[in-house]
């Protein structure tokens, strides 16, 4: 977390791995600094790739992420 930034986040109940770019952009626009991923299976290559993309996009926008790995 960047100094002077208060963690503002939300409880995620949606599976949005198909729409990652839009979701992360929304988080940034809303001022979130902390996000939770949908539950994902790290043994599933498609889900693992999507989560890696989500982490990269969140990092670019200084958003910390809580991983929900089944």
């Amino acid at each position: 977390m960047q100094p002077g930034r208060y963690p503002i986040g939300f409880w995620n109940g949606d599976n949005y791995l198909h729409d990652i770019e839009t979701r992360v952009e929304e988080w940034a626009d809303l001022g979130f600094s902390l996000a939770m991923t949908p539950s994902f299976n790290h043994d599933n290559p498609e889900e693992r790739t999507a989560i890696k993309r989500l982490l990269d996009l969140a990092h670019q926008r200084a958003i910390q992420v809580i991983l929900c790995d089944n």
Side-chain angles (χ1 to χ4, degrees), residues 8-53:
I8 299 173
F10 58 94
W11 185 267
N12 177 47
D14 190 14
N15 185 344
Y16 52 81
L17 291 179
H18 60 282
D19 196 18
I20 293 169
E21 288 80 7
T22 300
R23 293 298 179 103
V24 174
E25 193 61 36
E26 287 174 352
W27 302 344
D29 289 345
L30 292 168
F32 289 124
S33 57
L34 179 66
M36 186 174 81
T37 69
S39 293
F40 72 97
N41 179 355
H42 70 270
D43 291 326
N44 179 320
E46 291 176 7
E47 290 185 14
R48 192 171 51 244
T49 298
I51 290 295
K52 287 180 182 179
R53 178 74 178 137

